[in-house]
């Protein structure tokens, strides 16, 4: 996928990354000594059982959590050396999330959810209009629908449109089909794949499903917070 784009520079990278919580006997190690690089345009699956560290790695890549050890960089800038506010500003310049739950604002329409996120990230002035983004995910007829009026698959497509409104160079997806039935989940994954091909952003998806992971250019298996194996396809 995106062969030309992936010949290339680093987009994001972790070096000796460690994340732990608590202290003493209560200390929990979520990640330990992780080295991981993402290049522009490629797709990477992080897979492993629940508790293996997938979500923590996504959060560290996006600057949502600070490492306890090692570094995280974004386009050459050390995210891990910045405070919370500075990390948020960097994240707004190219990193977007799709979570397991759509997490839409319940009293905002689909249009308003997408528009609000674009304005909050500072991308609204130069990005596509909310109606264009919703049309891109097949929801042009749902602009005025509230989340309670959407199916699970439709809500997740609004969440994808919301993420695209931030004009990401890197899209991080955390079990994006975890709350969907298998047919709806497959359609959401197909949509994410198609948008990745069309728009060229780098894509990192966390999943516990090896079959889902095999859809990607590269798979990273995590086990107890460490990289257990890595496979490259194509």
């Amino acid at each position: 996928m995106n062969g030309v784009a992936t010949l290339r520079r680093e987009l994001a990278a972790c070096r000796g990354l460690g994340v732990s919580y608590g202290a003493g006997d209560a200390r929990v190690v979520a990640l330990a000594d992780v080295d991981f690089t993402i290049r522009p345009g490629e797709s990477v699956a992080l897979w492993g059982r629940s508790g293996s560290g997938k979500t923590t790695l996504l959060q560290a890549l996006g600057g949502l959590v600070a490492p306890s050890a090692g570094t995280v960089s974004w386009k050459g800038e050390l995210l891990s050396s910045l405070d919370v506010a500075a990390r948020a500003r960097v994240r707004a310049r190219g990193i977007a999330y799709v979570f397991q739950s759509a997490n839409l604002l319940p009293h905002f329409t689909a249009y308003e959810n997408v528009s609000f996120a674009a304005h909050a990230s500072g991308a609204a002035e130069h990005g596509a209009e909310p109606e264009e983004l919703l049309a891109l995910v097949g929801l042009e007829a749902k602009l005025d629908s509230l989340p309670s009026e959407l199916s699970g698959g439709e809500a997740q497509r609004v969440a994808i449109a919301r993420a695209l409104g931030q004009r990401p160079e890197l899209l991080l997806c955390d079990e994006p089909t975890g709350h969907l039935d298998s047919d709806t989940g497959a359609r959401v994954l197909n949509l994410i794949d198609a948008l990745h091909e069309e728009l060229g952003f780098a894509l990192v998806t966390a999943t516990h499903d090896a079959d889902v992971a095999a859809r990607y250019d590269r798979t990273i298996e995590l086990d107890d917070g460490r990289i257990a194996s890595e496979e490259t396809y194509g």
Side-chain angles (χ1 to χ4, degrees):
M1 299 178 185
N2 299 304
V4 173
T6 52
L7 283 172
R8 47 281 162 176
R9 57 189 175 85
E10 288 181 355
L11 187 63
C14 304
R15 306 287 186 225
L17 175 64
V19 177
S20 60
Y21 303 99
D25 293 340
R27 183 170 177 263
V28 175
V29 177
L31 293 172
D33 199 27
V34 171
D35 291 317
F36 176 51
T37 300
I38 307 164
R39 297 184 176 90
E42 74 173 333
S43 65
V44 183
L46 304 176
W47 77 280
R49 59 182 174 77
S50 179
S52 61
K54 305 184 301 295
T55 293
T56 304
L57 181 49
L58 282 185
Q59 291 174 340
L61 284 168
L64 290 176
V65 301
S68 307
T71 62
V72 178
S73 62
W74 167 249
K75 297 172 70 172
E77 182 174 3
L78 279 181
L79 268 182
S80 48
S81 67
L82 303 176
D83 62 24
V84 172
R87 292 201 306 272
R89 288 193 294 271
V90 171
R91 186 168 60 250
R93 299 199 303 267
I95 303 173
Y97 284 82
V98 176
F99 298 99
Q100 188 173 45
S101 297
N103 292 334
L104 302 179
L105 296 169
H107 302 299
F108 280 29
T109 64
Y111 179 97
E112 290 166 340
N113 267 280
V114 174
S115 178
F116 179 81
H119 280 89
S121 70
E125 183 177 348
H126 305 290
E129 293 296 324
E131 57 262 41
E132 295 177 80
L133 294 164
L134 287 163
L136 196 61
V137 299
L139 291 177
E140 56 268 40
K142 299 287 186 176
L143 296 179
D144 298 322
S145 297
L146 293 169
S148 61
E149 299 169 324
L150 301 172
S151 69
E154 288 170 341
Q156 198 63 307
R157 282 189 279 158
V158 173
I160 293 167
R162 177 180 60 188
L164 296 179
Q166 297 172 239
R167 303 176 66 213
E169 293 179 70
L170 173 62
L171 182 63
L172 303 173
C173 298
D174 189 5
E175 300 276 7
T177 62
H179 290 165
L180 304 176
D181 63 76
S182 58
D183 288 342
T184 304
R187 289 196 293 272
V188 167
L189 289 172
N190 288 339
L191 173 63
I192 292 172
D193 288 348
L195 292 170
H196 165 243
E197 288 286 352
E198 180 180 351
L199 302 177
F201 50 77
L203 171 64
V204 181
T205 297
T207 180
H208 64 274
D209 189 331
D211 290 333
V212 171
R215 301 166 67 108
Y216 291 75
D217 294 334
R218 190 155 53 102
T219 64
I220 307 289
E221 181 185 7
L222 290 171
D223 185 36
D224 289 334
R226 297 178 181 272
I227 292 178
S229 65
E230 181 174 349
E231 297 286 343
T232 302
Y233 303 95

